[in-house]
């Protein structure tokens, strides 16, 4: 048998063991990440954050509709998760960009001031009337 006929292993046993150790560490990190993501408190915190974001987005859009000159949505896009992360159903994140059109129109400021004055006068009148009784 010549030296060209012998089959040499591609990896040494030490290299195979090092690869096994790396894969075990990566697997353990993945399990730790899953455990962290699956904790009820973390799930609740994520869902609360999403609800707040959606509520803020709805308020901004309602304000723009009511005032006619508020924030305008420019774009919404889905954010891709980082490589190696585990995405739980419903964990995708939407980023929305808004831009302010202009300042409030003078009519809206006058209307808000008038409503505020009426409410303040009404509260004072109610308090005075209640005190007399």
């Amino acid at each position: 048998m010549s030296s060209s006929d012998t089959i040499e292993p591609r990896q040494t046993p030490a290299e195979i063991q090092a690869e096994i150790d790396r894969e075990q560490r990566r697997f353990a990190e993945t399990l730790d990440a899953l455990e962290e993501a699956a904790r009820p408190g973390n799930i609740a915190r994520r869902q609360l954050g999403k609800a707040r974001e959606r509520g803020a987005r709805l308020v901004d859009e309602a304000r723009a509709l009511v005032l006619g000159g508020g924030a305008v949505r420019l774009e919404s896009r889905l954010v891709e998760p980082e490589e190696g992360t585990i995405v739980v159903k419903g964990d995708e994140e939407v980023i929305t960009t808004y831009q302010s059109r202009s300042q409030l129109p003078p009519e809206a400021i006058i209307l808000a001031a008038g409503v505020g004055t009426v409410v303040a006068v009404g509260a004072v009148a109610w308090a005075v009337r209640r005190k007399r009784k």
Side-chain angles (χ1 to χ4, degrees):
M1 243 200 222
S2 67
S3 63
S4 63
D5 292 339
T6 61
I7 300 175
E8 295 184 28
R10 291 184 189 174
Q11 293 179 319
T12 66
E15 291 172 333
I16 293 172
Q17 185 61 46
E19 184 177 344
I20 290 171
D21 291 342
R22 277 193 307 273
E23 290 301 316
Q24 285 177 338
R25 276 194 303 277
R26 192 172 68 84
F27 183 65
E29 289 171 0
T30 302
L31 287 177
D32 290 343
L34 279 172
E35 179 185 357
E36 184 69 25
R39 285 192 181 143
N42 292 341
I43 293 171
R45 206 172 297 115
R46 280 194 310 269
Q47 294 303 325
L48 182 61
K50 286 179 186 179
R52 283 183 179 152
E53 288 174 16
R54 287 181 188 130
R57 188 171 40 241
L58 287 174
V59 167
D60 287 344
E61 290 178 7
R63 184 180 299 131
L65 286 172
V66 170
L67 299 178
V72 178
R73 181 173 34 184
L74 296 178
E75 69 167 323
S76 290
R77 60 186 165 79
L78 191 64
V79 175
E80 292 295 322
E82 295 179 25
E83 185 177 332
T85 59
I86 297 166
V87 179
V88 180
K89 182 177 179 184
D91 266 357
E92 60 273 352
E93 188 173 339
V94 175
I95 301 294
T96 304
T97 307
Y98 291 93
Q99 180 180 19
S100 178
R101 269 194 197 164
S102 63
Q103 294 182 351
L104 292 175
E107 299 85 15
I109 295 172
I110 293 170
L111 178 64
V115 169
T117 303
V118 169
V119 169
V121 169
V124 169
W126 177 76
V128 168
R129 186 173 180 188
R130 191 168 177 227
K131 204 176 202 182
R132 288 185 184 169
K133 285 184 179 181

